[in-house]
């Protein structure tokens, strides 16, 4: 009995980077496409009718004129902040002290960590996100809770213990040695286990002493196949604080660089207010930046210049940054990226937005050979979008002259109601 499944519909095909090349040359939508899946892997992508003829025993799932896309890849999230999403007011540092740190304190309780981990994974799935790269809290149990919950669901996740040894409440501080030891033990247990990967995770320079940054830099040098994730240049007052805390540093990035925390597998969230030297070094090292547009407007951080950074050849991903971000939806996140682009003078095309939310994010996480595109050999993580999910979107889509025009309406106005189905490693979950 064949376990092949053939999904029919409109299919989003990505062959390159629509910031590096004309989007028309590297991203296309096959209006009569098909995706053949078996044993959790994409086996073929192409003309739907031809695939049907070539694979007569495959079970056919006809999605009509829905759009079959790669599952969304959320390249920067804080799953422990799920319950405090959309907390009013405050700028970054006040917001952390008022809402985030008290909530993160609760994750010393493994039962609470498990509950929120499961909730975050369920919410992201319902919004079409199949891969998440998340921060945990300082508690090792909070990392275990997320990896265990993800393993039950066979979800591809990256996560790490958030390390902080200063400027946080005593209950949320570790030490250079315990951060090193706990991160190492978690990494050895989880990195590469099933669909899990470990990311070494200093929260950001203000909450780590130089000694802690140094210790985590050593750990990364010992495990160079891991990602290292942190925050960079999110708010101007944060940057001023970093200058005070690290008077010798040339700039914010330098606080990481001098402690062994800059490299090709470095993933830096926000990165809004960058100095020319920082941009040069990020480009030279091949590090990735993650755009968090709903967070950057919600917390009032600023407008990342995505088009200019992409033109400089910097690897870019897209992310919700929940709970600083105001939505679990990568559609809402793409809409915010479009609006910020407009405020910076660049109207991003739907193809570029979809690329950022899928292949771009996957590349920023060094997962391009696993997820982020519909291509033979990649894992069968898929999201199927209804391009007329509400009356308002439907009436706009009815007027569209091209499928791109219809998709853009869903990007700008859509949410979880647009997610018609989700497939994780070849299993239909929604
Ligand atoms: N900088 C350091 N920690 C955080 C966080 O949890 N959220 C955001 N948005 N920025 C941060
Ligand atoms: Zn963050």
């Amino acid at each position: 009995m064949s376990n092949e499944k053939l999904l029919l519909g409109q299919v989003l095909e990505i062959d390159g980077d629509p910031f590096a090349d004309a989007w028309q040359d590297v991203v296309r939508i096959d209006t009569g496409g098909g995706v053949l899946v078996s044993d959790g892997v994409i086996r073929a992508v192409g003309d739907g009718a031809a695939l049907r003829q070539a694979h007569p025993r495959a079970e056919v799932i006809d999605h009509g004129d829905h759009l079959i896309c790669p599952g969304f890849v959320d390249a920067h999230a804080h799953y422990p902040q799920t319950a405090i999403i959309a907390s009013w007011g405050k700028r970054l540092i006040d917001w952390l002290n008022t809402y985030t740190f008290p909530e993160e304190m609760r994750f010393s309780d493994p039962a609470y960590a498990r509950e929120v981990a499961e909730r975050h994974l369920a919410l992201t799935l319902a919004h079409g996100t199949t891969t998440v790269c998340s921060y945990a809290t300082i508690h090792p149990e909070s990392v275990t809770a997320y990896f265990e919950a993800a393993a039950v669901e066979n979800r591809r996740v990256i996560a790490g213990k958030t390390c902080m040894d200063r400027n946080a409440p005593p209950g949320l501080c570790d030490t250079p040695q315990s951060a090193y030891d706990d991160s190492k033990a978690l990494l050895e247990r989880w990195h590469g286990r099933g669909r899990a990967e470990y990311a070494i995770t200093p929260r950001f320079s203000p909450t780590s002493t130089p000694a802690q940054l140094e210790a985590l830099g050593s750990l990364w040098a010992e495990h160079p196949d891991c990602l290292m994730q942190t925050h960079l240049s999110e708010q101007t007052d944060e940057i001023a604080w970093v200058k005070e805390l690290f008077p010798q540093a040339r700039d914010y990035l330098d606080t990481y660089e001098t402690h062994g925390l800059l490299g090709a597998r470095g993933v830096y969230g926000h990165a809004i207010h960058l100095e020319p030297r920082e941009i040069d070094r990020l480009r030279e090292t091949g590090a990735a930046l993650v755009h968090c547009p709903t967070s950057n407007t919600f917390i009032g951080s600023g407008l990342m210049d995505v088009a200019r950074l992409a033109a400089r050849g910097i690897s870019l991903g897209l992310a919700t940054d929940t709970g600083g971000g105001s939505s679990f939806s990568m559609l809402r996140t793409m809409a915010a990226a479009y609006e910020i682009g407009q405020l910076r003078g660049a109207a991003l095309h739907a193809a570029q937005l979809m690329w950022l939310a899928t292949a771009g994010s996957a590349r920023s996480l060094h997962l391009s050979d696993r997820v982020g595109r519909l291509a033979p050999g990649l894992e069968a993580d898929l999201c199927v979008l209804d391009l007329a999910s509400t009356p308002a979107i439907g009436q706009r889509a009815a007027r569209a002259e091209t499928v791109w025009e219809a998709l853009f309406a869903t990007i700008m106005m859509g949410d979880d109601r647009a997610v018609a189905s989700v497939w994780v490693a070849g299993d239909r979950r929604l």
Side-chain angles (χ1 to χ4, degrees):
M1 172 75 189
S2 160
N3 72 352
E4 286 181 337
K5 294 189 176 72
L6 177 60
L7 286 70
L8 300 176
Q10 310 201 71
V11 175
L12 180 76
E13 294 182 16
I14 300 174
D15 293 320
D17 174 351
F19 287 94
D21 295 303
W23 69 264
Q24 297 92 332
D25 294 342
V26 291
V27 187
R28 65 185 209 103
I29 293 177
D30 184 343
T31 51
V35 181
L36 186 77
V37 166
S38 70
D39 299 320
V41 175
I42 297 170
R43 302 294 173 186
V45 180
D47 179 71
L51 284 172
R52 196 166 188 166
Q53 206 165 31
H55 301 272
R57 287 168 4 119
E59 179 192 346
V60 173
I61 300 102
D62 192 347
H63 287 292
D65 57 5
H66 288 0
L67 181 68
I68 304 171
C69 317
F72 294 129
V73 178
D74 186 346
H76 179 126
H78 297 258
Y79 96 79
Q81 298 169 16
T82 297
I84 56 138
I85 190 169
S87 291
W88 182 86
K90 310 287 181 185
R91 288 181 60 78
L92 176 61
I93 305 305
D94 279 348
W95 175 86
L96 285 171
N97 286 319
T98 308
Y99 302 117
T100 305
F101 290 161
E103 177 65 11
E104 292 194 6
M105 211 89 87
R106 298 181 63 181
F107 286 71
S108 59
D109 173 4
Y112 186 65
R114 187 166 58 244
E115 180 192 328
V116 179
E118 288 170 356
R119 195 190 310 163
H120 182 262
L121 289 163
L123 282 166
T124 51
L125 189 85
H127 287 83
T129 298
T130 48
T131 296
V132 181
C133 181
S134 183
Y135 290 60
T137 65
I138 71 142
H139 313 96
E141 302 79 11
S142 72
V143 182
T144 304
Y146 201 64
F147 281 135
E148 283 182 349
V152 169
E153 301 285 321
N154 200 19
R155 291 278 293 278
R156 181 162 278 293
V157 294
I158 303 173
K161 178 194 124 69
T162 297
C163 300
M164 299 196 276
D165 68 343
R166 64 168 163 177
N167 295 320
L172 275 188
C173 281
D174 50 20
T175 68
Q177 190 65 47
S178 74
Y180 175 93
D181 292 343
D182 289 345
S183 300
K184 184 177 166 72
L186 288 161
L187 183 164
E188 285 171 351
R189 176 166 174 207
W190 289 105
H191 187 60
R193 184 164 163 180
R195 303 190 80 196
E197 287 191 12
Y198 192 82
I200 296 166
T201 308
R203 181 175 216 120
F204 66 156
S205 289
T207 48
S208 287
T209 58
Q212 177 164 86
L213 296 175
E214 191 75 35
L216 294 173
S218 301
L219 183 61
W220 198 19
E222 290 155 24
H223 298 275
D225 59 324
C226 282
L227 294 181
M228 189 290 303
Q229 61 176 348
T230 190
H231 297 84
L232 177 67
S233 295
E234 182 175 356
Q235 283 204 343
T236 49
D237 25 10
E238 170 210 15
I239 296 165
W241 193 25
V242 169
K243 272 207 176 80
E244 273 172 40
L245 291 168
F246 296 85
Q248 325 292 359
R250 287 171 288 183
D251 46 46
Y252 198 150
L253 185 66
D254 201 33
T255 64
Y256 298 128
E257 187 170 357
T258 54
H259 296 104
L261 295 171
L262 175 61
R265 285 183 179 266
V267 184
Y268 304 83
H270 302 277
I272 300 168
H273 310 282
L274 296 175
E275 303 286 342
R277 191 203 80 89
E278 294 178 297
I279 296 174
D280 290 343
R281 287 300 290 142
L282 289 162
R283 212 182 81 81
E284 283 162 17
T285 52
L289 301 181
V290 181
H291 186 26
C292 306
T294 72
S295 171
N296 296 343
T297 52
F298 183 77
I299 308 185
S301 301
L303 310 174
M304 187 189 197
D305 198 346
V306 168
R308 191 168 69 98
L309 291 165
R312 290 292 310 274
I314 289 181
S315 175
L316 292 172
L318 187 69
T320 62
D321 188 37
T322 47
S326 55
S327 176
F328 295 98
S329 167
M330 291 298 281
L331 289 170
R332 306 303 326 120
T333 304
M334 283 182 256
Y338 178 79
E339 289 166 350
I340 288 180
Q342 283 287 57
L343 290 168
R344 302 253 14 178
L348 304 182
H349 190 269
Q352 294 175 312
L353 294 165
M354 289 295 287
W355 178 86
L356 279 172
T358 56
S361 277
R363 188 179 71 178
S364 76
L365 301 174
H366 294 258
L367 291 176
S368 293
D369 58 343
R370 307 281 169 98
V371 295
R373 290 179 303 123
L374 303 179
L378 269 68
E379 296 166 357
D381 282 358
L382 316 172
C383 166
V384 182
L385 294 176
D386 175 357
L387 300 183
S389 60
T390 67
I393 299 172
Q395 61 90 38
R396 179 62 187 88
R399 177 65 72 85
E401 288 178 6
T402 67
V403 63
W404 287 109
E405 200 179 326
L407 173 57
F408 187 62
T410 284
I411 289 173
M412 292 311 300
M413 300 167 73
D415 52 29
D416 52 333
R417 291 168 291 179
V419 177
S421 87
V422 182
W423 296 69
V424 174
D427 284 336
R428 187 172 184 162
R429 293 293 171 74
L430 191 82

